[in-house]
Each structure stands twice: as structure tokens, then as C-alpha cells.
Amino acid sequence: MMKLSPLSISTGSSFSHDDDGVESSSSPFTGGAMLPVFLNDLSRNNGDSGSGSSWERELVEVTLELDVADDSIVVCGLSEAAAEAASVDSRPISVDLVTARLSRNLSTASSRIRQKLGKLLRSESWKTTTSSTAGERDRDLERSAVVEGIMTARDKRKENAKLQRSTSSAQRALKGLQFINKTTRGNNCDCDWDCDCDQMWKKVEKRFESLSKQGLLARDDFGECVGMVDSKEFAVSVFDALARRRRQKLEKITKDELHDFWLQISDQSFDARLQIFFDMADSNEDGRITREEIKELLMLSASANKLAKLKEQAEEYASLIMEELDPENFGYIELWQLETLLLQRDTYMNYSRPLSTTSAGVSTPRRNLIRPRHVVRKCRKKLQCLILDNWQRSWVLLLWIMLMAILFVWKFLEYREKAAFKVMGYCLTTAKGAAETLKLNMALVLLPVCRNTLTWLRSTRARACVPFDDNINFHKIIACAIAMGILVHAGTHLACDFPRIINSSPEDFALIASAFNGTKPTFRDLMTGAEGITGISMVILTTIAFTLASTHFRRNRVRLPAPLDRLTGFNAFWYTHHLLVVVYIMLIVHGTFLFFADKWYQKTTWMYISVPMVLYVAERSLRACRSKHYSVKILKVSMLPGEVLSLIMSKPPGFKYKSGQYIFLQCPTISRFEWHPFSITSAPGDDQLSVHIRTLGDWTEELRRVLTVGKDLSTCVIGRSKFSAHCNIDISHRPKLLVDGPYGAPAQDYRSYDVLLLVGLGIGATPFISILKDLLNNSRDEQTDNEFSRSDFSWNSYTSSYTTITPTSTHGGKKKAVKAHFYWVTREPGSVEWFRGVMEEISDMDCRGQIELHNYLTSVYDEGDARSTLIKMVQALNHAKNGVDILSGTRVRTHFARPNWKEVFSSIARKHPNSTVGVFYCGIPTVAKELKKQAQDMSQKTTTRFEFHKEHF
């Protein structure tokens, strides 16, 4: 082994292009015959051939340290030689300009110096000057041959990478390495880059004015200033990388320096972005990235994306990158290797079979679009889709409106013929018409909440024409009609009828005197009578119930001071809604003491509400009796990440349900009156009953406390571990739970469709987990039947095998298999633990590709963001090598940020032309509007029809 002492090379030379395009040099060199060639080549590579060369006639002083023992060349110094520059060229040269150019190209120049001097070390002339004896020359020749072989292999890979690089691949990679994107420039920005760049800089300027002190921006405020508010550490790393280019260690920068930094990170050149990303890792500026530097950058990216588990495994994933990019075990990677990884990311992603792609053998048509050539045809298509989407709702609402109109007109005409009309006029007819509609609506409002009846009707042919999924919406619409009816009826009486009675002349009052026992009443008499007291009381109680049932009060969005804060939340809604029981009793009393109705059959209030009230009372009685019979035994309680409580209970005798349905749970220890709905996550064929509960409200918090804290137990401490190893609480002496149900939900009709699109946000995935389990169980049963059939009838093995792999075939007269696309969008990485067992089972058992799983993690930045670029690289590598996703721990790949729903619907439309797709959603209303819009648009534009359904509780 021979180590050379540090070699200082002062290049007092200038490089220029003569008229023939030949480069010339004008100074002697030390260090071997290849050094002038190397420096000339360095000048040529760094020059700007199109404009007379930015390096033309610039003097460079390079200090190198050559270590032959470990084949390393370290650039110790790279600066301009200003004095000699003046002697060579009489034109004035700006030292600051030269320094800026040298700083920007330091990393690139250093890399090229090492490459050229590597060849220099292997040249015969160099070895001759460094070996003083024949023995040493032989050893150096042997060592040089080994080094040359290794370097040759790496050089070949580098040349192949250059050949494989294309404009299209660079453009794809450019989208995956953005320092400025929608998260930094704003989500509402729809302009293209050129017109938007100036607007973004103006925003940065404003933030600079507010954050800077004495015209200087602190290093720690750089992230907030450029838009990386939630990624302070990552932004500081970008700041340091840009500062190192200036050969400075900065703590504060001016506005001009900020603008220079901004231009660099917003540069649309792929090479420029890649160089910044490389410089972030290359903290020692040697043009190489080691394992430790990759680990540091990986931990930085994990911190920016709030991935604590990934930070713990940073060492493992750094080794994975080095193993892939440094097979020669040099211990470092260079810029071109990082570029190769980024350009070939899609290749790694497609290397192993992901569960988020269609199984092989199923053809995907390229186009499935309907392009109407005429405006009339286009309008006809839209009208057709509109009718198909809303005809069930339309006829029900139309029938309801017609009934109200008929009743109003009937009562209006009836009272216009009465003598009282001459005293009170149209005020009386209007009030009585509104009262008749009130009777109808007070009866109908109970029907949508008779859940047992609706669940039974869902299994009949009535589901083909009645939109049972909209029962809660219809309940709210009727409630609004009741409020309007009360306003018209009570307002007309108080403001018009009562004053006319009080102020009527004796002749006019004589026409209605019999209704008041011959005595003209005062306003107080009218208000304190049975009609007045019951009427005013009903108005007050319904106002309280309707107000606290509104979305803002029910969901605790209204902030009130104590003790008025008790009027918000689910409990206030639940208890005040039971005030309507008193309202119905008063309604019967109110309808009995009518002023202008003497005969019993004219008092029709009881006729309207008797049947619905009996049905509702029967429903509540059935719940009370069934809950005692359905008292369940808690088998397992688990606290999962994200404050989710998993309950596994014994299945009550005779308890039958369908996937997608839900149950009500009551814990008498907490309250004997409160019932709360939860979707069933177990499949109908399972021996146990399971639910997953997100602890958000008072009742769920109390349930978690009573189930996880025992008499002599402290609260169980939950760690992030595998699904099977979560904390299991001792269930001895636990409070009992009462179950009521099951109740129907939109998702229970999933078998009516050949293709399913299941979308769950967070805990909203629960109704679809049961569906996936059911599909998996059915698929397993079919595989078992097929295997049995093949073993008994070997001559028919080909037919059985074909039946197994065809997703749309029938078997044994059964309905053809359902193809499911499941999209689960979560905010926290730990949420994957909720249903990891299900995903792993699907990965192992779903051989036909019947189920596609798509996980989206919104806490991670978009796949095009530089803050998630390295994570995406590691994910692709690990999935290609081990077939396991680094975030979910399963074969199901996790996508970053939110799905592009337009692309999702377009992809499904292409895969399933001329099909009807059932879209089932459970989550926040904002996404529901977007999904519904996409379903309508794609139904109009393609031959695939999408039917949207949203879960309501």
C-alpha cells in the first residue's frame, strides 16, 4: 500500500476556445502527463459551448489530496486565482462573479476531478513515477488491475445509465422532486409555472417583510418564508445546502440572497433539483454520499412526514439503498447513481406484483368514452343520467308534495264555506290548511326512523323503487316542512285570527259564538285555554329539539360558555329529541279541543298519527326485549393506535346479519338510555362479532375507560406493534354490553353490483372491512370446492381451473364473483394497524385479483414533493426486494397524500366498460360531494355507470 502526500496543484492556466474550436492552455503543470488533459476536459465540461464559455479565461486553483491506499481523491480547495487572472486577460474580472460560479459548480467539478484523477492513478506514467522498485511496481500493477476491474464495472453502469436516460424519464422524475409545489405555493393555484412564479415570489417577499429583522432573515425562519411551514428541519437542511454552494456558513440572509435561494429551489431543471437534493445529503462537500449521510437525510424526510416508525428503521433502509446503488462496496454513491434511482423508480415499483393493480389476464380497454357529436345528444345523455340517479327520490318527493297540496287545498276549501270565514277570512283557511299538512308530516316523520321496518323492507322488492338509503335525509326534509307548517299555522293564528276574533263586531261574532260558549274571548283567554297552552308548549319544545338536532349543535361545533356548553353534543341531541314524545301527547290533546269541529270524525289528528306511533312504540319495545336477549360476552378488548377500541364479542344465538350492516350498543354501566351505532367489521360467516370504535365523544371515552381500567388495574399502555400483539385487556368482571340490531345500510346491497368501489376515510372503513372479509370467505370456499372437484373429477381439471381464474364466471349456479376496489384514506400511519390482519389475509388468499386494496396516507407529502422523494425511493426498493410496504408492513402499497378521484373513476371505467359500479362511501360530507360529482360525470362520459351511496347513521 502506498500513500501519496497531499499534492498541491496551482493551475495558473487559462482555457479558451480558438477560432477552430480547439482548446489551448498556457501554463506548465505538475502531477503527471494526464493532468493537463484532465484540466482541459474539466474546462470543456463546465463551459457553456453556446455562448462563449462562462469559464473562459478564468484561473482556478485546485488543492487535491490523493490517497492511493483507499483509492480516494479529496478536493481540499477550489478557488480562483484572481492575481494571475489579471495578468492573462486585461479585461476586469469580478471576483464575486467567479466565486459564485465556482461555488455553484463545486460539487459537479469535484466529482469530475475524482473521475479524471481515477484514470490518472491507473495510468502507466503515474505508476512509474510513484514506484521506486520493481517489486513495488508489481504490487501496484496487481492492485491497479483489481481497482481497474471494479472501476470498470462502475463506469459501465454509469455509461448505461447515461444511455438509458431520456427526456420522458427525466420529466417523470422531475415531478417526483419538487421543492415548490401545491403545498408550498397554495392549493388554490391553478396557473401554470411561468405565470405563477412571480406571484409566488411576491408572497415570499411579504413573508420576508414580516419575518425578517433589520433586513435579515434567520435560518430557522427560512422554511416558513418559502412555504414549508410544517417542515422546519427539512427547510433548514435545504438552506444549509444552498449556503454551502456559496462556500459559507450562514445564519441569516438578505432579501437578495433569499431571492437567489428561491430561484434555485424553484428551478424547473431536473439536473438543478437533483443537485440540490444531492447537496443536502453531501454535508461534507466531497461529492459523495455515504451510508450515514443517507441515514441522516432519511431521518429528516421521516420527521417532515411524521413517520416515527420509519426513523427507527432508517439504518436498515440506508443499507438497502447502498446495497442497490453501491454493489462494488466502495462505501459511497455519486450523483449519477442517485439520478439512476430516481429515474428508475417506476421500474422498481412495478417489479413486484402490487395489490393495487389489476391481476394479469384481465384486459384493460384503452378508451371507454362516449363523445356526443351533437348538443341535443349531449343534453339527452345528461338528462338520462339525471333521471337514472334521482328517479326514486323524485317520485317519493313528488308524491309527498302532492299529498300535502291536496290536504291543504281540501281543508282550505272546507273552511272557506264555514261561517267563521266571514269573521277571520283567509287567515283561517290558511291556518287550517297548514294544520292539515302538519298532521301528515308529524305522522310521516316517524317512519324513516323505524329501523327494523326499513331493514325488513330492504330485503323485499320495495328496495327497487324506494330509496331506503335516504331515510335520514327524508326525515330531515319532513322536519323542515314541520317547522314551516308550525310557523304558518301558529303565526297566522297569533297575528291574524286571534286579533280578528277579539275585534269582531257583535254581528260577526254571533256567527261563531257557539264555539266560545257565547262569550267573546280576550287574547289572554285564547292563550290560556287548552288549545293555547298545548300549542305554545309544542312550539317551544319542537324549537328546542330542532335547534339542538342541527349539525352545528349535534357535532359540537358551537362553543358556548359553561354551563351552557352542555347544550351541545350528541347527548343534548339525544335527550332533547325525546321531548317529542311529550309533543305527540300534546298534539293529540290539541287536536281534541278544536274550536270549529264538534263531531269526533272531524277531529282527525289521532287518525294521522295513531298508526306511525304504534309502529314506533313497537320498534322501541322490540329493541328493549331484544337487547336483553342479545346481551353479549366480551371476548377481547384491544386498544389500537389512533385511539381506536377493538371489541370482539360472542355472537348472540340466532343473530344473523349481512356485511355492511350496523348495530347499536348500550353499556348500562355508563347509561341505560344511550344507544350508539357502530358498523360490524366481522363477516357473517365468522363465529364472533366485532366492532371498531374511535374514541371521540363523551360516551366512547367513557366506554374505553370502563373496558380498559379495572378495579385493581391501571390504564393499559399501548405501544405500536403488530396486530396480533396489541394490548389485550383482561375481560374478567367487565361490564356487560347490550346489542340491538342488525340494521340495514346502503352497503349491504353490494352483491347487486358486479364491480364495487369502496371508499372509507379513517374509521369510515369499518363497514367495508366486513364486505372484504365476506368476499374473501366466499373466494376461499369456491377455491376449496374447485380443489375438491378437481380431485374427484380429474378429467375435468381444465374446466375447473378455468372457472377458478375467471372473475366473472359462475360456479355451481352461483352469482358471478364481485370485483372490489377498496380505497382507504387515513391521516395517521398507525391506522394501518387496525385492519392489518385483513389486508395480510387478502394478500395471501386473493389469488384471482378479485380485491384491489389502495391505502393512502395523507400525513405524508405528495409523491412529487422533495420531502417524500427519498421515502418513495426506499418504498420502491423494499417492495421490489422484499414485497413488503415500509409503511403498512403488508404487501399492500401505501400511496402518499390524497387520491386523485378523477383518475380513480377513469381507471375503473376503462377496466370495466358497459358495467354498473356500486360506489359506497363512509366519511366526511366534503369528499362525498366530490365522489358523487365524479360518479355523475363519468356516467355521462363513459359507458360505465356509477351509482353512488353514502352511509348514514
Side-chain angles (χ1 to χ4, degrees):
M1 302 291 289
M2 179 179 62
K3 182 175 182 180
L4 297 179
S5 59
L7 174 65
S8 178
I9 305 175
S10 180
T11 71
S13 66
S14 61
F15 303 98
S16 62
H17 297 273
D18 57 20
D19 295 337
D20 297 329
V22 180
E23 297 171 346
S24 60
S25 63
S26 60
S27 283
F29 296 89
T30 59
M34 289 186 65
L35 194 54
V37 179
F38 145 69
L39 289 175
N40 267 322
D41 186 65
L42 179 62
S43 173
R44 180 170 59 253
N45 289 335
N46 284 280
D48 186 358
S49 60
S51 60
S53 170
S54 63
W55 281 73
E56 184 176 333
R57 307 187 68 82
E58 291 180 1
L59 305 182
V60 182
E61 181 176 321
V62 184
T63 304
L64 305 176
E65 181 177 331
L66 310 177
D67 192 341
V68 182
D70 59 357
D71 191 31
S72 64
I73 304 104
V74 180
V75 181
C76 299
L78 182 61
S79 60
E80 75 280 7
E84 296 185 21
S87 64
V88 175
D89 194 344
S90 60
R91 291 175 299 172
I93 299 176
S94 172
V95 176
D96 293 337
L97 178 61
V98 174
T99 304
R101 290 173 177 173
L102 289 173
S103 300
R104 284 196 301 269
N105 294 278
L106 178 59
S107 298
T108 305
S110 302
S111 177
R112 288 169 178 161
I113 287 172
R114 284 192 299 274
Q115 296 167 9
K116 295 297 180 181
L117 288 184
K119 298 178 180 179
L120 182 63
L121 285 173
R122 296 191 298 272
S123 67
E124 186 63 31
S125 61
W126 180 273
K127 287 181 290 185
T128 304
T129 60
T130 56
S131 297
S132 59
T133 63
E136 290 178 350
R137 284 198 299 269
D138 293 340
R139 287 193 298 271
D140 288 342
L141 285 172
E142 182 179 354
R143 185 196 64 80
S144 180
V146 176
V147 173
E148 185 173 1
I150 297 176
M151 291 299 295
T152 301
R154 174 170 281 205
D155 290 340
K156 287 182 179 179
R157 291 198 299 116
K158 182 176 181 179
E159 292 300 324
N160 290 335
K162 289 181 178 180
L163 293 174
Q164 292 176 1
R165 176 175 177 174
S166 62
T167 303
S168 59
S169 62
Q171 288 296 327
R172 290 195 303 270
L174 183 64
K175 296 179 180 179
L177 191 59
Q178 299 177 1
F179 293 93
I180 304 299
N181 54 24
K182 65 180 181 181
T183 61
T184 53
R185 68 175 184 259
N187 294 327
N188 297 326
C189 181
D190 297 327
C191 305
D192 57 23
W193 181 262
D194 294 333
C195 72
D196 191 45
C197 190
D198 293 338
Q199 297 179 5
M200 289 189 295
W201 169 243
K202 291 179 180 179
K203 295 180 180 178
V204 174
E205 280 185 309
K206 291 182 180 179
R207 290 193 287 263
F208 176 84
E209 297 299 334
S210 61
L211 295 173
S212 62
K213 296 180 180 179
Q214 298 180 352
L216 296 176
L217 179 70
R219 172 172 171 263
D220 292 338
D221 295 330
F222 176 75
E224 183 178 354
C225 188
V226 299
M228 298 183 184
V229 181
D230 299 328
S231 309
K232 181 178 178 180
E233 295 180 1
F234 190 89
V236 168
S237 179
V238 175
F239 180 94
D240 292 340
L242 297 175
R244 286 195 295 269
R245 290 185 167 194
R246 293 172 168 262
R247 308 291 294 172
Q248 296 174 337
K249 187 175 182 181
L250 302 175
E251 292 296 333
K252 296 181 180 180
I253 57 175
T254 64
K255 187 175 181 179
D256 292 337
E257 291 173 327
L258 174 64
H259 186 251
D260 181 46
F261 284 7
W262 171 261
L263 292 178
Q264 293 183 61
I265 63 176
S266 60
D267 195 331
Q268 288 298 287
S269 168
F270 170 67
D271 292 329
R273 293 184 184 182
L274 180 65
Q275 187 66 58
I276 296 176
F277 194 71
F278 184 87
D279 292 343
M280 289 176 61
D282 185 19
S283 57
N284 58 1
E285 305 178 74
D286 62 350
R288 302 174 177 180
I289 300 180
T290 62
R291 186 193 312 271
E292 286 300 319
E293 290 173 330
I294 292 178
K295 177 184 175 182
E296 291 177 5
L297 185 58
L298 188 58
M299 293 181 66
L300 197 66
S301 300
S303 178
N305 291 277
K306 301 177 180 63
L307 299 175
K309 188 176 181 180
L310 189 62
K311 292 178 67 175
E312 299 172 359
Q313 299 175 325
E315 180 72 31
E316 174 186 347
Y317 295 135
S319 301
L320 182 66
I321 293 178
M322 293 299 296
E323 179 182 343
E324 178 67 21
L325 300 183
D326 183 29
E328 300 88 2
N329 294 323
F330 278 16
Y332 64 88
I333 61 174
E334 297 176 315
L335 181 66
W336 67 269
Q337 292 163 296
L338 185 65
E339 176 186 356
T340 301
L341 179 62
L342 190 61
L343 293 176
Q344 295 183 356
R345 186 188 63 183
D346 294 338
T347 304
Y348 289 115
M349 295 296 290
N350 298 326
Y351 179 79
S352 57
R353 176 190 177 271
L355 292 179
S356 56
T357 57
T358 309
S359 57
V362 180
S363 60
T364 302
R366 293 179 59 86
R367 292 190 176 271
N368 177 22
L369 296 177
I370 298 176
R371 298 185 180 275
R373 297 182 179 180
H374 199 274
V375 177
V376 176
R377 294 181 181 179
K378 187 176 182 179
C379 294
R380 184 177 64 183
K381 179 64 177 178
K382 288 185 177 180
L383 181 62
Q384 180 183 359
C385 294
L386 185 65
I387 294 174
L388 290 175
D389 288 336
N390 300 285
W391 73 270
Q392 291 179 320
R393 303 182 186 93
S394 299
W395 83 263
V396 172
L397 289 175
L398 183 62
L399 177 62
W400 172 61
I401 293 172
M402 289 177 60
L403 284 175
M404 288 194 298
I406 291 172
L407 291 174
F408 185 91
V409 172
W410 168 56
K411 194 58 64 173
F412 185 94
L413 296 176
E414 179 183 344
Y415 272 83
R416 197 174 65 171
E417 302 298 328
K418 290 182 178 288
F421 177 75
K422 297 180 180 180
V423 179
M424 291 174 279
Y426 286 104
C427 294
L428 175 65
T429 56
T430 302
K432 290 300 181 179
E436 205 67 17
T437 62
L438 270 173
K439 297 174 187 178
L440 173 67
N441 289 327
M442 289 296 287
L444 293 178
V445 77
L446 294 174
L447 298 181
V449 292
C450 293
R451 292 185 174 88
N452 288 290
T453 303
L454 293 181
T455 302
W456 170 72
L457 289 174
R458 283 177 181 273
S459 61
T460 65
R461 294 183 178 179
R463 69 178 182 180
C465 55
V466 179
F468 294 113
D469 296 346
D470 296 319
N471 62 316
I472 299 300
N473 290 333
F474 191 51
H475 178 76
K476 294 177 181 179
I477 292 174
I478 297 175
C480 292
I482 291 174
M484 294 177 61
I486 291 175
L487 184 63
V488 174
H489 177 73
T492 306
H493 274 327
L494 294 174
C496 186
D497 289 336
F498 288 179
R500 288 195 176 193
I501 293 175
I502 296 170
N503 300 320
S504 62
S505 63
E507 294 80 8
D508 291 339
F509 181 75
L511 299 174
I512 58 174
S514 60
F516 300 96
N517 297 324
T519 304
K520 181 185 290 188
T522 64
F523 191 82
R524 180 176 181 180
D525 294 335
L526 294 173
M527 295 297 294
T528 57
E531 299 88 345
I533 293 176
T534 55
I536 296 299
S537 299
M538 285 190 294
V539 171
I540 294 174
L541 293 178
T542 52
T543 301
I544 295 173
F546 284 17
T547 301
L548 298 185
S550 62
T551 302
H552 287 78
F553 278 89
R554 189 178 73 254
R555 297 190 179 276
N556 220 354
R557 296 175 183 172
V558 178
R559 301 301 178 188
L560 298 176
L564 297 179
D565 56 342
R566 294 180 176 270
L567 296 178
T568 61
F570 183 83
N571 286 342
F573 154 75
W574 177 257
Y575 288 114
T576 55
H577 235 57
H578 285 77
L579 293 175
L580 296 177
V581 175
V582 181
V583 172
Y584 275 95
I585 296 174
M586 289 185 176
L587 180 62
I588 295 176
V589 175
H590 186 80
T592 304
F593 294 92
L594 293 180
F595 285 119
F596 306 109
D598 299 328
K599 298 179 180 180
W600 67 272
Y601 56 83
Q602 293 178 333
K603 303 176 181 181
T604 58
T605 303
W606 65 273
M607 299 179 186
Y608 281 97
I609 66 175
S610 57
V611 174
M613 284 191 66
V614 170
L615 182 61
Y616 184 77
V617 171
E619 289 254 348
R620 297 302 295 265
S621 301
L622 177 62
R623 167 182 287 186
C625 298
R626 188 168 55 187
S627 61
K628 295 179 180 179
H629 179 67
Y630 283 169
S631 179
V632 296
K633 180 180 179 181
I634 301 176
L635 303 178
K636 183 179 179 182
V637 179
S638 301
M639 277 303 299
L640 306 178
E643 296 297 320
V644 171
L645 186 67
S646 173
L647 298 182
I648 298 180
M649 304 165 286
S650 60
K651 184 184 291 187
F655 187 85
K656 297 181 180 180
Y657 62 94
K658 297 179 180 179
S659 293
Q661 292 184 334
Y662 64 96
I663 59 175
F664 278 86
L665 288 181
Q666 183 197 89
C667 182
T669 305
I670 301 175
S671 173
R672 293 184 177 273
F673 303 101
E674 292 187 44
W675 291 86
H676 293 264
F678 300 101
S679 297
I680 304 173
T681 54
S682 54
D686 295 345
D687 298 329
Q688 300 167 342
L689 190 66
S690 67
V691 293
H692 287 71
I693 302 172
R694 184 75 177 265
T695 54
L696 291 176
D698 298 337
W699 189 88
T700 54
E701 288 285 353
E702 192 67 16
L703 179 66
R704 181 186 65 83
R705 188 188 67 81
V706 299
L707 291 179
T708 59
V709 180
K711 182 177 180 181
D712 297 322
L713 297 175
S714 60
T715 304
C716 181
V717 179
I718 307 301
R720 295 185 61 183
S721 57
K722 293 184 178 180
F723 182 82
S724 59
H726 276 299
C727 178
N728 301 323
I729 294 91
D730 180 19
I731 49 85
S732 59
H733 304 96
R734 292 297 170 190
K736 67 177 181 178
L737 291 178
L738 303 182
V739 176
D740 178 43
Y743 290 110
Q748 77 175 55
D749 299 326
Y750 71 94
R751 288 200 172 275
S752 301
Y753 302 93
D754 300 332
V755 183
L756 300 177
L757 175 57
L758 311 175
V759 181
L761 266 62
I763 200 64
T766 50
F768 310 128
I769 294 299
S770 178
I771 294 177
L772 296 179
K773 287 183 178 180
D774 191 34
L775 292 175
L776 190 63
N777 291 341
N778 293 336
S779 178
R780 185 188 297 112
D781 294 340
E782 290 179 8
Q783 292 179 18
T784 303
D785 293 342
N786 290 332
E787 291 176 1
F788 178 78
S789 176
R790 286 194 297 269
S791 62
D792 286 351
F793 305 99
S794 58
W795 55 271
N796 198 28
S797 58
Y798 176 79
T799 303
S800 299
S801 176
Y802 181 81
T803 303
T804 302
I805 64 173
T806 306
T808 58
S809 63
T810 58
H811 177 74
K814 295 182 180 180
K815 183 179 176 63
K816 56 186 177 182
V818 178
K819 174 72 176 181
H821 303 263
F822 177 50
Y823 284 79
W824 186 22
V825 184
T826 60
R827 183 184 298 114
E828 303 169 355
S831 303
V832 181
E833 304 289 344
W834 303 347
F835 310 115
R836 172 183 286 190
V838 178
M839 291 188 289
E840 289 179 343
E841 193 173 0
I842 292 174
S843 303
D844 296 335
M845 298 297 299
D846 186 30
C847 301
R848 303 184 306 178
Q850 183 181 0
I851 302 173
E852 292 186 12
L853 302 179
H854 306 259
N855 292 345
Y856 282 82
L857 189 60
T858 59
S859 65
V860 180
Y861 288 99
D862 189 9
E863 295 183 359
D865 198 300
R867 288 166 285 188
S868 62
T869 295
L870 191 59
I871 298 177
K872 190 66 178 178
M873 292 179 183
V874 173
Q875 183 191 43
L877 277 176
N878 194 70
H879 206 282
K881 182 178 179 180
N882 303 319
V884 177
D885 184 73
I886 61 173
L887 299 179
S888 67
T890 66
R891 289 176 54 198
V892 183
R893 182 174 298 131
T894 302
H895 303 277
F896 300 160
R898 292 173 175 82
N900 185 329
W901 294 117
K902 184 176 181 179
E903 293 183 1
V904 170
F905 277 83
S906 299
S907 175
I908 294 177
R910 289 193 299 268
K911 294 177 182 178
H912 309 285
N914 302 310
S915 301
T916 302
V917 180
V919 182
F920 297 94
Y921 170 74
C922 185
I924 59 177
T926 306
V927 179
K929 294 179 181 179
E930 184 178 358
L931 294 178
K932 185 175 182 179
K933 181 179 181 300
Q934 292 297 335
Q936 294 173 347
D937 291 345
M938 286 299 163
S939 296
Q940 297 174 10
K941 296 178 181 179
T942 68
T943 60
T944 305
R945 172 168 167 74
F946 294 87
E947 294 185 359
F948 178 76
H949 306 273
K950 183 182 182 300
E951 294 288 331
H952 297 278
F953 291 112

